[in-house]
Amino acid sequence: MAHAHHHEHHISASVSRAFKWGIALNFIFVIAEFTVGYISNSIGLMSDAGHNLSDVASMGLALFACILATRHANGKYTYGYKKSTILVSVANAVILLVAVALIMIESISKIIRPENVEGDWIIITAAIGVLINGFTTWLFNKDRKKDLNIKATYMHMLADTLVSVGVIISGIAIKFTGWNIIDPIIGLVIALIILHSTWDILRESIRLALDGTPEQFDIEDIASRMQSVEGVENVHHIHIWAISTTEYALTAHVVISSLNDLPAIKAKLKEVLDEAGIRHSTLEFEDAAHRCQDETCCQ
């Protein structure tokens, strides 16, 4: 049995700084936006403030999970606390779905019973939102492809930026047409945008939480790469799962032509798996004469 263990997990200074800036700026904006929305009777602003508050909570949870994942493994948690990043990504998606439901309920209520809205307040507040959300989106741009939680935060803030642009448009429309129903309609559009940006993240988060194969890996492709190593005759019983939102593990049975070549084959397989993005592997080696008779027993 051969083991390749890589337990390193760290949160970069840029990611930590992005989360802290994002949390601070958006929390201040949430308070300001909700206050203005309440004063101006704008459901669009108040619903967006509620969504932005969920973003603040999501960023806080994501930062906490990233910090928790850096704690060392121990006898009770042999992989450390890295799985917390996956659980948080699920929680963040659920938080957003609840926010979507609340926005839709309130928007429909305002469509049934329209209320006067002051367009100037909406335009000014939403313009500030474009600046803050746009800046926060930029903070996470560099690292968005490295971690599911960072990707979720980036997508949320990008959606918020676009939504704020939409709110400005509604404010201008209300100012010049007096059609107050535009405000709750924008609220529904906000909900649909959030739902669209959340669905893929929720699906992938649940997949990882259930130890499903991460979407960037194809079992047959990984098996093909491993079987291309000289001396490897067959690979079976392959399982790939996520240890965290950035680290992945694999177990497999490897049939080799001769156990005498095991050290060289093992080293090459570790190299191939590392290049594929799998840095924690547990491999069981078999020679061709004594291979596992039931290749479906562990599937």
Side-chain angles (χ1 to χ4, degrees):
M1 183 83 71
H3 303 274
H5 297 288
H6 297 262
H7 293 294
E8 297 180 4
H9 188 108
H10 67 280
I11 177 171
S12 68
S14 64
V15 170
S16 177
R17 184 167 56 252
F19 274 119
K20 291 175 181 177
W21 271 102
I23 291 170
L25 288 173
N26 281 272
F27 184 69
I28 293 172
F29 181 63
V30 163
I31 296 174
E33 186 175 32
F34 184 84
T35 301
V36 173
Y38 182 79
I39 293 173
S40 64
N41 197 33
S42 169
I43 184 59
L45 286 180
M46 287 190 288
S47 63
D48 194 46
H51 171 232
N52 282 328
L53 181 60
S54 74
D55 278 346
V56 172
S58 296
M59 284 188 282
L61 284 172
L63 177 59
F64 175 72
C66 287
I67 294 174
L68 193 61
T70 63
R71 296 186 62 180
H72 296 297
N74 54 52
K76 292 185 177 180
Y77 296 92
T78 55
Y79 280 118
Y81 300 87
K82 299 173 183 179
K83 200 79 169 184
S84 62
T85 59
I86 296 174
L87 299 179
V88 163
S89 68
V90 174
N92 282 340
V94 171
I95 288 173
L96 278 170
L97 290 179
V98 172
V100 167
L102 293 175
I103 292 171
M104 293 184 74
I105 291 171
E106 191 64 25
S107 296
I108 292 172
S109 174
K110 293 295 183 181
I111 289 176
I112 296 173
R113 293 183 297 275
E115 298 180 8
N116 292 327
V117 178
E118 297 184 31
D120 289 338
W121 285 102
I122 297 177
I123 296 171
I124 294 171
T125 307
I128 296 173
V130 170
L131 295 176
I132 291 178
N133 292 328
F135 177 69
T136 307
T137 301
W138 175 78
L139 288 175
F140 291 102
N141 179 60
K142 184 177 70 173
D143 299 297
R144 72 184 190 278
K145 296 181 179 179
K146 300 178 181 179
D147 185 286
L148 186 60
N149 277 314
I150 296 175
K151 177 183 178 181
T153 302
Y154 171 83
M155 291 301 297
H156 295 168
M157 300 316 301
L158 178 60
D160 285 352
T161 303
L162 298 176
V163 164
S164 293
V165 173
V167 171
I168 292 175
I169 294 173
S170 74
I172 294 173
I174 291 171
K175 180 178 176 64
F176 289 100
T177 67
W179 297 344
N180 293 312
I181 198 172
I182 293 175
D183 184 53
I185 290 176
I186 288 295
L188 286 175
V189 173
I190 289 173
L192 292 175
I193 291 175
I194 298 169
L195 181 62
H196 177 74
S197 64
T198 302
W199 181 250
D200 287 342
I201 295 171
L202 175 64
R203 182 179 59 185
E204 180 62 10
S205 297
I206 291 176
R207 186 210 301 262
L208 298 186
L210 295 176
D211 288 335
T213 303
E215 65 177 357
Q216 64 266 49
F217 297 111
D218 179 86
I219 292 288
E220 294 183 0
D221 175 64
I222 296 298
S224 177
R225 294 191 192 193
M226 294 175 71
Q227 287 172 184
S228 68
V229 174
E230 184 176 356
V232 174
E233 295 193 0
N234 183 262
V235 178
H236 56 97
H237 294 165
I238 300 178
H239 300 278
I240 304 173
W241 71 97
I243 298 175
S244 72
T245 52
T246 59
E247 294 183 65
Y248 307 97
L250 171 147
T251 60
H253 289 198
V254 183
V255 181
I256 59 178
S257 55
S258 173
L259 291 177
N260 293 330
D261 299 325
L262 192 153
I265 293 174
K266 179 181 70 174
K268 183 60 179 177
L269 284 172
K270 288 168 60 178
E271 181 183 331
V272 168
L273 291 173
D274 189 74
E275 290 175 353
I278 301 171
R279 296 182 176 83
H280 182 108
S281 60
T282 302
L283 306 173
E284 180 175 329
F285 290 94
E286 309 161 2
D287 64 19
H290 302 87
R291 62 187 299 174
C292 177
Q293 296 302 311
D294 184 2
E295 295 191 358
T296 65
C297 65
C298 298
Q299 294 182 0

